[in-house]
Amino acid sequence: MLVQALGYVGLPANDLEEWSEYGTRFLGLQLGERTGSSLAFRMDERAWRVVVLSNAAAAIFGWEVADAGALDALAAWIERAGVALAHGSRALAAERGVADLLVLDDPLGNRLEIFHGAAVADEPFRPGRPISGFRTGALGMGHAVLTVERSESVLPFYRDVLGFGLTDWTARPFRANFLHVNRRHHSFALIETGRNGLHHLMLEHFMLDDVGQAYDLALGVEDRVAVTLGRHANDLMTSFYARSPSGFLVECGWGGRTIDPARWQPHEVTAGPSLWGHERNWLPPQDRAEARALRLKAAADGLREPVQVLPGNYEVAKGSDGD
């Protein structure tokens, strides 16, 4: 698997001032470089992870590989598959803060940039509001999810051309395919909704309280919460979804599952997308009712999953052991 992580994203925006407030005071990102047409945000040691562009027509997805050799190998594989690509100019590489990159489109016209050698910032990450930080590193910046008219028109490109691994899929209340490129349960997913676009980005926090406090902030803004607090059945993430100034959603999460890509077996998740919560305001009423029914059935069946907790992120509670 040559692609190693979702390294960065570029997002279209109509209002940079609104995004400045949303990115720092709500999401907790650090505002880095700012120009008249862009805002670059940090979330870890990297020089940037998210750039908001007033002159962009659609989102840009930056997929990271290990080095120049991996970039050349992937370029050769993509070309043999009959997919057009171009090597990014030195000016574009400098703008992105990377050593080198490829530029291509997926079957829906989404712009992909495959790169290596991302720049590291000179200063430590300083969040825009008090948070513990974001879970990134080898797992990448999080995950991206597209809405698509038909999964079959897009899935083979990411699976067979780019080499993403299929983790699992669901059929109800909507069709969805989840794909991995590292130990994160999924770095990319497709939701079949009958239209094409960016559905959401997921940013994973180190501490559950970061998510809860963000939820309180979101509840204070009319119509910001698009999906209520809940826990997913497949990646076991506890999260909620907030509307962004650009219209797509941002999932604020904690406790995501990691997998062993070499041993993982793809399978269908039949319990529905969530164990509890996650009332999806974006779904049509009939699909919302089906999603609720699936959650209630999971509860009636006693479906439970262990919490995915990082070392140093918990203390064992006293209770049933008699202490």
Side-chain angles (χ1 to χ4, degrees), residues 22 26 129 211-229 240-243 252 279 281:
Y22 181 89
F26 174 59
R129 65 174 177 85
V211 175
Q213 290 165 359
Y215 195 53
D216 279 344
L217 290 173
L219 289 171
V221 180
E222 184 177 358
D223 204 35
R224 174 155 287 178
V225 175
V227 179
T228 61
L229 190 68
F240 73 96
Y241 296 64
R243 290 183 176 85
C252 299
E279 187 70 27
N281 298 333

Side-chain angles (χ1 to χ4, degrees), residues 174-194:
F174 46 78
R175 293 183 62 190
N177 293 277
F178 301 86
L179 298 102
H180 60 268
V181 297
N182 53 47
R183 289 179 57 82
R184 192 185 289 279
H185 175 275
H186 63 280
S187 294
F188 182 71
L190 303 169
I191 299 177
E192 194 169 288
T193 63

Side-chain angles (χ1 to χ4, degrees), residues 57-288:
I60 301 165
F61 303 97
W63 294 100
E64 186 167 6
V65 299
D67 51 32
L71 192 70
D72 290 342
L74 186 55
W77 177 263
I78 292 170
E79 288 178 329
R80 284 196 297 269
V83 176
L85 61 81
H87 282 268
S89 67
R90 302 315 306 160
L92 179 61
E95 182 180 339
R96 298 288 192 258
V98 300
D100 199 6
L101 75 165
L102 305 172
V103 179
L104 65 155
D105 292 339
D106 75 5
L108 299 179
N110 295 300
R111 179 183 170 106
L112 310 183
E113 297 179 356
I114 303 173
F115 72 94
H116 77 92
V120 174
D122 295 329
E123 300 291 335
F125 168 64
R126 295 188 297 274
R129 65 174 177 85
I131 60 170
S132 62
F134 297 98
R135 190 182 184 193
T136 58
L139 300 179
M141 64 167 289
H143 70 234
V145 177
L146 301 181
T147 60
V148 297
E149 291 185 72
R150 294 190 313 106
S151 300
E152 292 82 358
S153 66
V154 189
L155 180 60
F157 171 83
Y158 284 95
R159 183 191 59 208
D160 304 332
V161 178
L162 294 189
F164 292 12
L166 180 63
T167 309
D168 50 42
W169 68 91
T170 63
R172 300 169 54 204
F174 46 78
R175 293 183 62 190
N177 293 277
F178 301 86
L179 298 102
H180 60 268
V181 297
N182 53 47
R183 289 179 57 82
R184 192 185 289 279
H185 175 275
H186 63 280
S187 294
F188 182 71
L190 303 169
I191 299 177
E192 194 169 288
T193 63
R195 62 184 182 86
N196 299 321
L198 174 59
H199 184 269
H200 75 264
L201 298 175
M202 187 284 299
L203 308 180
E204 185 176 0
H205 292 272
F206 281 133
M207 302 291 287
L208 177 59
D209 288 339
D210 293 328
V211 175
Q213 290 165 359
Y215 195 53
D216 279 344
L217 290 173
L219 289 171
V221 180
E222 184 177 358
D223 204 35
R224 174 155 287 178
V225 175
V227 179
T228 61
L229 190 68
R231 191 172 187 225
H232 284 301
N234 60 352
D235 73 349
L236 308 181
M237 186 86 69
T238 300
S239 65
F240 73 96
Y241 296 64
R243 290 183 176 85
S244 75
S246 297
F248 63 83
L249 309 183
V250 176
E251 181 182 7
C252 299
W254 171 84
R257 181 182 201 168
T258 55
I259 65 170
D260 181 351
R263 299 182 180 182
W264 186 264
Q265 293 298 314
H267 61 277
E268 182 179 0
V269 177
T270 58
S274 300
L275 295 169
W276 54 267
H278 281 160
E279 187 70 27
R280 293 166 171 82
N281 298 333
W282 58 271
L283 278 176
Q286 182 176 346
D287 290 345
R288 287 180 66 181

Side-chain angles (χ1 to χ4, degrees), residues 16 33-40:
L16 293 183
E33 184 177 353
R34 178 174 188 154
T35 72
S37 60
S38 68
L39 304 172

